[in-house]
């Protein structure tokens, strides 16, 4: 991780498009060359983020996903910034549309697509990927019709497949975003469930769906 000179950051900031910000300042910038700069705030003085910064985790997780053949942003560099106190990751974005954008039109929820989404999530779990920020806004369908992940700082990997408890917890996180599911027909949700449960062992997706009363 490199120390970012204040002059370089100011130059980027002055010429960038602000994509996301909050009361603490900018969070995501689109630079002039089309690459992105994501800033992570240190939330506490004594924090595990001081040991392994979110920017470093983002970079490590990109390496993990690439090794598993899962598309994700390509990291260019990671930085430390003193004022304001931030860790930063500079990356090339993953091309494509989020599933949230695609499924905003319910007619796009074809049998083929919904089963493929379910199978992709099952693949993540079978490969030991626990993505705490799993939701439709963080899954990309790329131009070559693959699925990939973005916003990957909050992700971990293990050698074994996820346990039943881990799967249930992760799927409940996915399903808790009511705005992603309320406009989809029960048949589409059934195909998502079928895609997951046929690609993996057990019926984790069906149980999670039932717990949110999305399926009977």
């Amino acid at each position: 991780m490199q120390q970012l000179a204040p002059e370089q950051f100011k130059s980027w900031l002055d010429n960038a498009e602000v994509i996301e910000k909050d009361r603490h300042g900018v969070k995501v910038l689109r630079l002039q060359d089309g690459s992105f700069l994501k800033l992570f705030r240190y939330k506490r003085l004594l924090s595990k983020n001081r040991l392994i910064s979110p920017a470093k985790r983002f970079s490590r997780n990109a390496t993990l996903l690439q090794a598993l053949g899962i598309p994700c942003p390509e990291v260019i560099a990671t930085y430390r910034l003193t004022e304001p106190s931030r860790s930063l990751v500079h990356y090339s974005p993953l091309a494509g549309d989020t599933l949230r954008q695609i499924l905003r039109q319910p007619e796009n929820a074809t049998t083929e697509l919904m089963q493929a989404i379910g199978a992709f999530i099952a693949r993540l779990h079978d490969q030991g990927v626990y993505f705490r920020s799993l939701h439709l806004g963080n899954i990309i369908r790329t131009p070559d019709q693959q699925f990939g992940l973005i916003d990957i700082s909050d992700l971990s990997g293990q050698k074994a497949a996820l346990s039943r408890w881990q799967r249930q917890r992760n799927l409940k996180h996915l399903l808790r975003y009511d705005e992603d599911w309320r406009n989809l027909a029960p048949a589409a949700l059934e195909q998502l469930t079928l895609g997951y449960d046929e690609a993996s062992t057990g019926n984790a997706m069906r149980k999670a769906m039932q717990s949110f009363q999305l399926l009977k």
Side-chain angles (χ1 to χ4, degrees):
M1 182 175 286
Q2 308 171 49
Q3 184 70 37
L4 181 61
E7 298 80 10
Q8 178 63 67
F9 177 66
K10 185 177 185 304
S11 175
W12 276 338
L13 184 60
D14 289 345
N15 296 283
E17 177 188 358
V18 176
I19 300 300
E20 185 179 350
K21 66 182 298 184
D22 61 15
R23 63 188 180 89
H24 300 287
V26 297
K27 296 178 68 175
V28 182
L29 298 172
R30 181 187 283 119
L31 305 184
Q32 286 183 310
D33 63 358
S35 63
F36 281 67
L37 194 68
K38 186 173 178 66
L39 291 79
F40 299 94
R41 182 173 63 91
Y42 293 110
K43 297 181 180 180
R44 297 187 302 273
L45 182 60
L46 296 176
S47 168
K48 65 180 182 181
N49 289 348
R50 295 285 183 174
L51 301 176
I52 304 177
S53 71
K56 188 65 175 178
R57 290 202 307 271
F58 188 109
S59 180
R60 289 183 179 181
N61 290 339
T63 300
L64 167 67
L65 293 175
Q66 289 164 1
L68 294 174
I70 298 169
C72 64
E74 182 178 348
V75 174
I76 299 170
T78 57
Y79 298 99
R80 293 185 301 270
L81 183 64
T82 302
E83 185 58 44
S85 181
R86 300 285 189 272
S87 67
L88 306 90
V89 59
H90 183 199
Y91 62 91
S92 298
L94 180 62
D97 298 311
T98 70
L99 293 183
R100 180 169 290 162
Q101 292 169 322
I102 294 169
L103 295 177
R104 196 169 290 151
Q105 303 299 323
E107 62 269 22
N108 291 334
T110 63
T111 294
E112 181 181 18
L113 176 61
M114 298 307 291
Q115 288 190 7
I117 294 169
F120 172 70
I121 297 170
R123 175 190 171 194
L124 293 178
H125 291 172
D126 287 347
Q127 290 183 308
V129 175
Y130 189 94
F131 187 24
R132 293 172 182 83
S133 296
L134 181 66
H135 58 70
L136 297 185
N138 281 339
I139 304 176
I140 295 286
R141 185 172 67 176
T142 67
D144 60 355
Q145 305 304 300
Q146 295 188 73
F147 295 118
L149 301 179
I150 59 173
D151 201 11
I152 56 175
S153 60
D154 201 10
L155 178 152
S156 60
Q158 59 189 45
K159 292 182 179 180
L162 298 192
S163 68
R164 182 182 304 174
W165 177 83
Q166 288 174 311
R167 291 170 188 261
Q168 283 292 306
R169 184 173 181 180
N170 204 209
L171 290 172
K172 286 180 179 179
H173 187 95
L174 170 73
L175 297 173
R176 70 176 180 158
Y177 294 89
D178 179 64
E179 66 273 18
D180 286 340
W181 310 106
R182 62 187 171 210
N183 293 325
L184 295 181
L189 300 178
E190 183 68 44
Q191 294 304 320
L192 175 72
T193 301
L194 185 64
Y196 183 98
D197 291 343
E198 285 192 344
S200 191
T201 56
N203 57 353
M205 179 68 84
R206 184 167 299 279
K207 289 182 177 179
M209 285 276 188
Q210 290 170 342
S211 71
F212 280 84
Q213 299 182 335
L214 293 172
L215 287 179
K216 295 182 180 181

